[in-house]
Amino acid sequence: MVIMDLTSIQDPSFLKRMSVTEMEALSADIRRFLIEKLAETGGHLAPNLGVVELTLALHRVFDSPNDQLVWDVGHQAYVHKILTGRTKQFDTLRQYNGLCGFPKRCESDHDVWETGHSSTSLSAAMGIAIANELKGSQDRAIAIIGDGALTGGMALEALNHIGAEKQNVIVILNDNEMSIAPNVGAMHNMLGRMRASRKLKHAREEIESLIKHIPIVGGPLERSGERVKDMLKSALIPGTFFEELGFTYFGPTDGHDLKDLLETLEYAKKIDGPVLVHVITKKGKGYRPAELDGVGTWHGLGPYKIESGEVIKGKVKGPSYSKVVAETITKVAETDDRVTLITPAMSVGSKLDCFNAKFPERMFDVGIAEQHAVTLAGGQATQGLKPVVSIYSTFFQRAYDQLVHDICRQNLNVVFTIDRSGLVGADGETHQGVFDIAFMRHVPNIRILMAKDEAELQRLVYSALRYDDGPIAIRFPRGEGIGVPMSDTLQELPLDVWEVEAEGTDVAILTFGPQVQDALEVRALLEGQVSVRVINCRTIKPLDDVMLTSLYEEGIPLVTLEEAVLAGGFGSSVLEHASDARQFPRVLRLGIPDRYIEHGGVNQLLEEIGLRPSQIAESVQQFVQVTNRQNV
Ligand SMILES: Cc1ncc(C[n+]2csc(CCOP(=O)(O)OP(=O)(O)O)c2C)c(N)n1
C-alpha cells in the first residue's frame, strides 16, 4: 500500500496528523524510494535506510525549522530532505548543479547546519542553543550523531562543554555499531555494554527505587552505603556515563520502533538542560545486501542492481591508486618490520585490508580521530618505527597543528599517504582535496610528492618508506590509474628532481600528478602552433632548484598547473623561488580559484574552472601570444 506520493511532500507538518501505523507505512515507502533511486544515482544508502523511522519521529515530535536539527556528517540526511520537500530533486543527487548529498543551507530552511566532515554537530548545536537562550526562545537544538562520529575528538570536547552547562541541547546518538567499517574503540565497547543492558531499560525506575530503598545504617556506614549504591546503579543502569557528564539519558531505544521512539522523544523534549537519547538502529535496514554488509561497501556507493545487490562498476584502465599504495606499503612491511599503518576510520576507502590481513598487530584504526592518528605516528616514530598515516586530503585538514607541532618540528620519520588529493566530485565542497599543498608546503622539514601515474606512485611510496630524514607526504588522486605497466620489483626514485616529459621551446608547463597527462594532451592540441615543453614536477616540495635555475636562464615562459588551490599553492612556490633568486620569469598560474568547488562530475567541475585540456591549451596559447607581444 502506498501511503502518499513522496513528491507531494512540501514540509514535515503533515506528520503531526499521522497515526503510528500510517507512519510505519510511510517508512516503507521511503525505504523503497531510496533503494530504487540510489540504485540509479548512487549515494549513502545504508546510513539513510537506518534512520528512516528516527527522522520521521524527529520531525513529528519537534518543529523544524524552529527547532533546529543538526545532522552530523550529514550523509544520513536524505530522509530529512524528502520530508522537507526535495523528493523530486533526488534524480540529480550529488550531480552537477543537483541536490547536494549533505545538508545545504541554500537548499532549505530546514538545513540549519552544513556538514560533510564528522563530529561537528554537538558543537554547532550547542552554539545554536546558546543563541536560542540569549534570544529568549524556547526552540530546541537537536544534534543527531552516529556512534562512529562520536569517536571524533570534537564531539568529546563538545560533550564536555554541553554537560557542564544548562542549555537545551538534545543529542540523539544513532548507534548502529558501524562507522564506515565496524566501529572501534573504548567508547564503542562501552556503547556495546549499554546495548546489552537494553532489556533493563523498562526496569530502570524499579532498579533506582530498589537501590534507594536498600537500608543503610547511619554514620560512616551510610557514606560507604551511598558509594555501594552508586556502583550498583552504574552496573545496572545504562547511560550512567552520560549522566555523570551532566546529561539526562534516555535509552537504549529501538530506532525502528516508532511508538517507542515517539514516546522517548516526547519525554526528552520536556526535560530542561542537556539530554542524550541513545537510539539503536540497523545500518542498511530493509535492504538485505546492505543489512548483511559487515565491511562498509553499502555505506556510500555508486549505482547497483537491486535484485542481486551487485555494485555496477565502470570500465577502468588501471588499478586504483589507493590499492597501489596499500599494496606497496604491505610489500615493504614484509621485509621492514618498522613499518606500521595508521588509519582514522578510512580503511575501506583507502583499501587497507591487504595490510591488515598480513600485519594486524601493526595496523591501527583509531576511529574518526585525525589529530590523534598523526600524533600517534609521531610517538611511534620517536621509538624507531616507520609509521604511515593513511589519510584523505580533506580530513588531513583536521590535523594541521599536529603536523606542524608534533611531526615536522621534531623532524620525525612519518610517511603521509594522502588519498583523494585533488577534486573528488560527487561529495562536493566539504571533500575536495585541494588545500593540502597550501597547508603543508610552508611547514619546514616536510617533503611533498605526487606521481604522474600508478607505476611512478609505486616507486614514490617505496622511496618514501626508505627515506629516513624526516616527514614525507605522497598525494594521490581518487580513482584508478591510467593503465601503465607496473614493475614486479620495487624501485627507488630520486626525491628532489623534476623530469622533462616532452620537449618544447615556446613555453614550459610545470605540473605533477594526473595533470602531467593533461599537459601532454595540451601539447598535442597545440602542436604546430605553440611548442610546449612538459615538466613532471613530482617533487612539489622541495622544488628542483637546478631545473628552475636553468629555466630562468633560458628565459622560457612558465605555466604552472595544479588541481589544488592557487593561493599558497605550487605555482605560488615557483613565484617565491624566482623572487628569492632575483629572477623575473613570465609565469601563468593555473589551478583552483579562491572559492569552494561544489559537487558534480570531476570533468564538469574542471570545465567550470577552466582546467580541461582544451581550456588549458587556450590559456597557454593566449599567454604565449601576450608574452611574445611584450617581448617585441
Ligand atoms: C573528519 C572526518 N573523517 C572521516 C570522515 C569519513 N566518514 C564519513 S561517514 C563516516 C562514518 C560515520 O559513522 P557514524 O557516525 O556511526 O554514521 P553511520 O554512517 O554509521 O550512520 C566516516 C568515517 C568524515 N566524514 N569526516
Side-chain angles (χ1 to χ4, degrees):
M1 177 193 72
V2 173
I3 181 94
M4 68 191 298
D5 172 10
L6 299 182
T7 61
S8 70
I9 299 174
Q10 298 296 322
D11 67 66
S13 55
F14 72 95
L15 285 167
K16 309 232 186 282
R17 300 184 293 275
M18 273 192 156
S19 68
V20 168
T21 316
E22 284 169 331
M23 286 175 76
E24 282 165 355
L26 178 60
S27 302
D29 286 349
I30 291 177
R31 279 210 170 83
R32 199 172 314 117
F33 172 81
L34 287 173
I35 294 165
E36 284 170 8
K37 195 49 74 183
L38 270 59
E40 296 160 14
T41 60
H44 286 101
L45 181 70
N48 282 288
L49 290 179
V51 296
V52 177
E53 290 84 0
L54 176 60
T55 312
L56 289 181
L58 283 167
H59 273 292
R60 151 82 168 249
V61 171
F62 296 99
D63 182 22
S64 170
N66 296 326
D67 292 324
Q68 298 100 347
L69 296 177
V70 180
W71 299 92
D72 206 285
V73 186
H75 62 310
Q76 79 295 47
Y78 294 4
V79 186
H80 164 81
K81 293 202 180 204
I82 292 170
L83 295 177
T84 52
R86 286 171 271 179
T87 308
K88 275 192 191 140
Q89 296 165 50
F90 270 79
D91 285 334
T92 65
L93 180 66
R94 292 156 55 87
Q95 293 162 22
Y96 191 61
N97 287 333
L99 189 68
C100 180
F102 298 97
K104 196 94 178 118
R105 274 145 48 98
C106 65
E107 272 181 18
S108 166
D109 288 345
H110 294 272
D111 292 7
V112 294
W113 182 254
E114 294 186 6
T115 38
H117 285 200
S118 161
S119 316
T120 64
S121 64
L122 303 193
S123 305
M126 179 61 168
I128 291 168
I130 290 170
N132 286 344
E133 188 184 305
L134 291 176
K135 286 194 266 181
S137 143
Q138 295 301 310
D139 298 336
R140 300 270 159 163
I142 303 129
I144 304 101
I145 185 166
D147 55 309
L150 192 67
T151 63
M154 261 190 91
L156 304 179
E157 290 172 28
L159 275 184
N160 188 46
H161 182 207
I162 298 169
E165 303 290 333
K166 58 184 184 319
Q167 272 80 21
N168 290 332
V169 176
I170 298 180
V171 176
I172 308 291
L173 172 56
N174 170 28
D175 180 3
N176 56 22
E177 300 183 62
M178 294 287 280
S179 191
I180 292 178
N183 202 5
V184 295
M187 290 281 280
H188 167 68
N189 297 342
M190 180 191 73
L191 293 179
R193 286 191 292 276
M194 290 185 186
R195 276 190 304 274
S197 62
R198 184 157 17 155
K199 287 191 203 83
L200 287 171
K201 183 194 148 209
H202 296 294
R204 182 194 174 101
E205 288 80 18
E206 285 150 54
I207 295 165
E208 284 213 20
S209 120
L210 197 80
I211 293 170
K212 214 163 53 223
H213 290 99
I214 295 174
I216 287 166
V217 194
L221 247 178
E222 186 166 2
R223 278 194 298 281
S224 62
E226 285 300 335
R227 273 210 304 279
V228 172
K229 279 183 180 186
D230 281 349
M231 278 161 58
L232 259 175
K233 198 171 147 189
S234 54
L236 289 175
I237 301 179
T240 313
F241 170 79
F242 294 110
E243 296 217 329
E244 291 294 334
L245 280 178
F247 287 77
T248 304
Y249 173 90
F250 288 91
T253 299
D254 181 344
H256 304 298
D257 181 335
L258 268 164
K259 195 165 158 292
D260 204 6
L261 268 177
L262 291 171
E263 217 174 84
T264 311
L265 292 177
E266 287 291 355
Y267 274 128
K269 190 176 156 182
K270 291 194 183 89
I271 304 286
D272 267 336
V275 174
L276 187 137
V277 184
H278 186 180
V279 180
I280 309 299
T281 60
K282 176 84 194 151
K283 202 161 176 169
K285 174 83 175 169
Y287 182 56
R288 250 184 106 60
E291 277 191 20
L292 295 176
D293 175 20
V295 182
T297 313
W298 290 88
H299 172 86
L301 75 171
Y304 52 89
K305 293 184 183 159
I306 298 176
E307 293 304 314
S308 61
E310 185 194 331
V311 180
I312 299 166
K313 295 215 166 85
K315 278 213 175 73
V316 293
K317 289 194 198 137
S320 95
Y321 285 114
S322 306
K323 199 161 183 182
V324 169
V325 171
E327 283 177 352
T328 309
I329 300 167
T330 309
K331 214 166 182 175
V332 176
E334 280 165 12
T335 52
D336 186 347
D337 58 12
R338 300 171 309 149
V339 174
T340 65
L341 185 53
I342 298 171
T343 172
M346 298 310 287
S347 59
V348 178
S350 289
K351 306 196 184 318
L352 306 180
D353 43 329
C354 57
F355 188 96
N356 195 34
K358 281 205 168 158
F359 306 109
E361 70 292 350
R362 285 196 259 159
M363 165 106 188
F364 306 92
D365 180 349
V366 296
I368 306 178
E370 288 80 9
Q371 305 182 356
H372 170 61
V374 171
T375 303
L376 177 75
Q380 292 184 359
T382 61
Q383 302 306 307
L385 295 181
K386 184 81 187 170
V388 179
V389 180
S390 164
I391 193 161
Y392 280 25
S393 167
T394 187
F395 305 138
F396 199 8
Q397 289 163 203
R398 287 265 161 111
Y400 174 66
D401 183 57
Q402 287 68 19
L403 175 75
V404 174
H405 174 272
D406 296 330
I407 306 302
C408 292
R409 194 175 52 81
Q410 303 187 79
N411 198 31
L412 296 173
N413 287 327
V414 175
V415 176
F416 296 97
T417 51
I418 306 184
D419 204 336
R420 270 59 167 186
S421 294
L423 295 173
V424 296
D427 277 331
E429 290 178 18
T430 55
H431 283 61
Q432 313 288 16
V434 295
F435 297 107
D436 64 274
I437 294 178
F439 75 68
M440 281 193 296
R441 80 165 179 85
H442 57 246
V443 185
N445 294 335
I446 195 163
R447 283 171 180 272
I448 310 169
L449 311 167
M450 191 167 196
K452 66 174 175 176
D453 59 36
E454 62 270 37
E456 191 171 274
L457 179 60
Q458 184 192 51
R459 297 178 74 182
L460 287 187
V461 173
Y462 179 57
S463 310
L465 284 165
R466 292 179 66 85
Y467 173 80
D468 273 335
D469 199 17
I472 190 158
I474 306 166
R475 315 175 77 238
F476 56 97
R478 181 175 187 274
E480 287 79 26
I482 56 176
V484 295
M486 301 286 290
S487 163
D488 288 337
T489 54
L490 297 175
Q491 292 159 11
E492 278 191 79
L493 266 181
L495 293 180
D496 44 15
V497 291
W498 295 348
E499 223 170 284
V500 176
E501 284 285 319
E503 290 295 353
T505 50
D506 293 334
V507 64
I509 301 183
L510 276 49
T511 191
F512 49 85
Q515 275 63 53
V516 171
Q517 282 303 315
D518 290 352
L520 291 171
E521 205 176 319
V522 169
R523 183 176 184 270
L525 286 170
L526 292 178
E527 203 174 330
Q529 303 164 64
V530 181
S531 169
V532 178
R533 188 180 311 167
V534 176
I535 301 176
N536 174 9
C537 309
R538 71 167 89 88
T539 153
I540 301 168
K541 183 189 174 179
L543 303 175
D544 183 340
D545 189 56
V546 175
M547 171 92 73
L548 274 174
T549 306
S550 79
L551 290 170
Y552 302 149
E553 278 166 13
E554 186 184 340
I556 188 170
L558 307 176
V559 176
T560 62
L561 171 63
E562 56 199 307
E563 200 177 289
V565 292
L566 282 168
F570 168 72
S572 302
S573 75
V574 169
L575 285 174
E576 289 163 18
H577 184 278
S579 163
D580 292 348
R582 309 292 182 263
Q583 297 289 329
F584 304 96
R586 296 190 194 279
V587 180
L588 172 68
R589 291 177 309 133
L590 298 178
I592 296 187
D594 192 19
R595 66 182 169 81
Y596 289 95
I597 308 297
E598 297 206 345
H599 53 281
V602 169
N603 285 342
Q604 287 165 312
L605 300 175
L606 288 172
E607 174 112 35
E608 180 189 291
I609 52 180
L611 288 184
R612 294 287 289 153
S614 59
Q615 297 167 301
I616 298 169
E618 217 171 290
S619 301
V620 169
Q621 195 167 27
Q622 279 170 7
F623 172 61
V624 171
Q625 277 164 7
V626 171
T627 53
N628 284 346
R629 235 179 283 134
Q630 287 172 349
N631 284 341
V632 172

